[in-house]
Amino acid sequence: NNKTLMLHRVKKNSDIHKGKWNGVGGKFEGCESPEECAIRETKEETGLDISNLKLRGILTFPNFLFGDDWVVFVYDAYSFCGELIDCDEGNLEWVCDSKILDLNLWEGDKVFLPWVFEKKFFSAKFSYVDKKLVEHRVNFY
């Protein structure tokens, strides 16, 4: 219904994303594939079982946190079942797609989210210094 499930990161004081809105997701465990990770993390954070994932892009964030590089696989999923749960990382909310860019997002998210909605496949690099976006590059496929 033209809404996207977003997570307002307000529950953990030591969260680098504190106060920001993000999509759901997280880090790999064991020998997971990116799809297995996305399915598990979505279930853990939302209580929803997702299916029919579509890979929309790959993001890299060099030296994002404590000198660590982050690699993010961006998926969307329109098929799900289950009931939303209380998330220990923040508050879940279905946000109208037309309002998402008005949220308190990372600067880079405001750049790449329109590509997701336009169903473009992309590989992009976003460089931040002191939580400020200083450069980004993208390739579309």
Side-chain angles (χ1 to χ4, degrees):
N1 296 327
N2 299 311
K3 291 183 178 180
T4 299
L5 186 58
M6 298 292 290
L7 177 59
H8 192 198
R9 305 284 294 252
V10 294
K11 293 187 178 178
K12 291 182 176 179
N13 287 329
S14 62
D15 188 352
I16 189 170
H17 304 292
K18 179 88 172 164
K20 302 278 189 202
W21 289 80
N22 294 109
V24 298
K27 296 180 178 85
F28 289 96
E29 288 184 359
C31 297
E32 288 180 319
S33 70
E35 294 81 7
E36 290 167 333
C37 179
I39 291 166
R40 178 188 51 75
E41 283 284 348
T42 301
K43 177 71 171 182
E44 288 177 4
E45 292 182 2
T46 71
L48 300 177
D49 292 300
I50 58 174
S51 58
N52 298 323
L53 282 72
K54 302 288 185 231
L55 180 61
R56 297 297 176 202
I58 301 168
L59 304 172
T60 58
F61 299 91
N63 299 308
F64 188 70
L65 182 62
F66 306 121
D68 288 337
D69 299 337
W70 287 17
V71 177
V72 176
F73 295 85
V74 179
Y75 291 91
D76 61 15
Y78 294 94
S79 298
F80 61 90
C81 63
E83 299 291 325
L84 284 180
I85 60 172
D86 185 41
C87 179
D88 64 359
E89 295 186 13
N91 300 320
L92 294 164
E93 184 177 330
W94 288 101
V95 178
C96 290
D97 292 345
S98 62
K99 302 287 185 193
I100 287 181
L101 296 181
D102 297 331
L103 299 174
N104 182 26
L105 304 168
W106 286 96
E107 293 171 79
D109 293 14
K110 292 185 180 194
V111 174
F112 81 79
L113 281 171
W115 306 335
V116 175
F117 291 129
E118 294 165 10
K119 310 266 190 270
K120 293 182 176 181
F121 185 73
F122 55 88
S123 173
K125 179 172 99 171
F126 290 85
S127 298
Y128 283 84
V129 174
D130 296 325
K131 298 185 180 181
K132 297 287 183 197
L133 182 65
V134 294
E135 176 186 22
H136 77 277
R137 287 184 265 170
V138 63
N139 291 303
F140 295 103
Y141 298 93

